[in-house]
Amino acid sequence: MKIEHIIVSENAFNHADPDTIVQSNISVVNLLREEGVEDDDIPEDAMMSYYLDYYLSQNNNGGFAQFVWNANWSQALNVIVKKGLEQIGAEKNLAYFIQQTAVVESLPKEELEAFLEREYFGENPTRDQLKNDSFFELDENITDLNAKWLRKHPQLKVLSVDDMYAELEILVGHPIEK
């Protein structure tokens, strides 16, 4: 069963903090996953918003190298992140992502595989090679752009928390524990 709408709470939609609507989408995606819904059945754009936040969190916590390592350099995820940055209009972040992707892809295959298999912390020359603090200098906020994009999305469904749970229970076919 393919879900057709990105679902967020009315409170999150109306909240002044842009992170609130992004987190509402993330909560719905996580809940659907917990209830056994496959990622392919969740709206592609809901997943894209979800993974843009993941990408941002990884960069904020440990830089691009951490994203590479924690995501196990997933080409499928890279496509989603690139497309997401394009769709939300994050041009500077997209340029950074493309630049850093080129650095990763220039690594010898054996070096990248060894990086992904070893411990992240401690001595790690590949991690250090992927380090690029210019991400923190970008004058562009992924969360703000993600929130604006979600708010205007044609598939967005804004519901009260009670109505949101009722809708999600219909979608998963059983009661959901709150």
Side-chain angles (χ1 to χ4, degrees):
M1 153 213 38
K2 182 81 170 147
I3 298 170
E4 296 180 21
H5 293 95
I6 299 169
I7 300 170
V8 297
S9 76
E10 190 174 51
N11 293 341
F13 182 83
N14 292 324
H15 201 281
D17 180 2
D19 192 48
T20 306
I21 190 171
V22 173
Q23 293 305 314
S24 183
N25 175 63
I26 289 168
S27 295
V28 170
V29 168
N30 284 335
L31 181 67
L32 289 169
R33 286 172 145 182
E34 288 168 11
E35 296 299 323
V37 177
E38 298 292 326
D39 286 358
D40 288 343
D41 291 329
I42 298 171
E44 180 181 335
D45 286 351
M47 296 303 298
M48 193 165 52
S49 174
Y50 177 95
Y51 282 121
L52 282 175
D53 185 74
Y54 174 78
Y55 166 75
L56 176 62
S57 297
Q58 293 301 305
N59 271 284
N60 281 336
N61 290 332
F64 196 81
Q66 182 174 311
F67 169 73
V68 171
W69 194 79
N70 281 337
N72 202 34
W73 195 240
S74 164
Q75 292 303 321
L77 179 56
N78 294 344
V79 168
I80 293 168
V81 169
K82 183 176 184 272
K83 183 178 178 185
L85 292 170
E86 290 169 350
Q87 288 205 10
I88 69 169
E91 295 174 9
K92 294 173 185 175
N93 280 281
L94 177 61
Y96 172 85
F97 181 78
I98 291 169
Q99 172 192 339
Q100 288 303 106
T101 297
V103 172
V104 174
E105 291 177 351
S106 73
L107 295 172
K109 183 179 177 184
E110 300 79 25
E111 182 179 353
L112 179 58
E113 288 173 357
F115 169 67
L116 296 173
E117 291 172 6
R118 79 168 66 104
E119 288 295 317
Y120 184 75
F121 296 103
E123 188 173 325
N124 192 327
T126 305
R127 177 202 60 218
D128 297 343
Q129 183 180 347
L130 296 176
K131 185 177 180 182
N132 180 342
D133 288 339
S134 67
F135 174 81
F136 299 105
E137 298 166 10
L138 296 175
D139 184 23
E140 187 176 69
N141 189 309
I142 291 175
T143 301
D144 288 348
L145 293 170
N146 193 354
K148 287 177 189 174
W149 178 77
L150 279 171
R151 281 192 171 94
K152 293 187 228 170
H153 201 285
Q155 290 177 296
L156 185 67
K157 195 169 197 177
V158 179
L159 301 169
S160 69
V161 173
D162 288 339
D163 288 346
M164 189 170 76
Y165 271 92
E167 177 89 6
L168 294 172
E169 287 176 346
I170 291 167
L171 292 171
V172 300
H174 60 266
I176 297 173
E177 190 175 318
K178 294 180 188 178

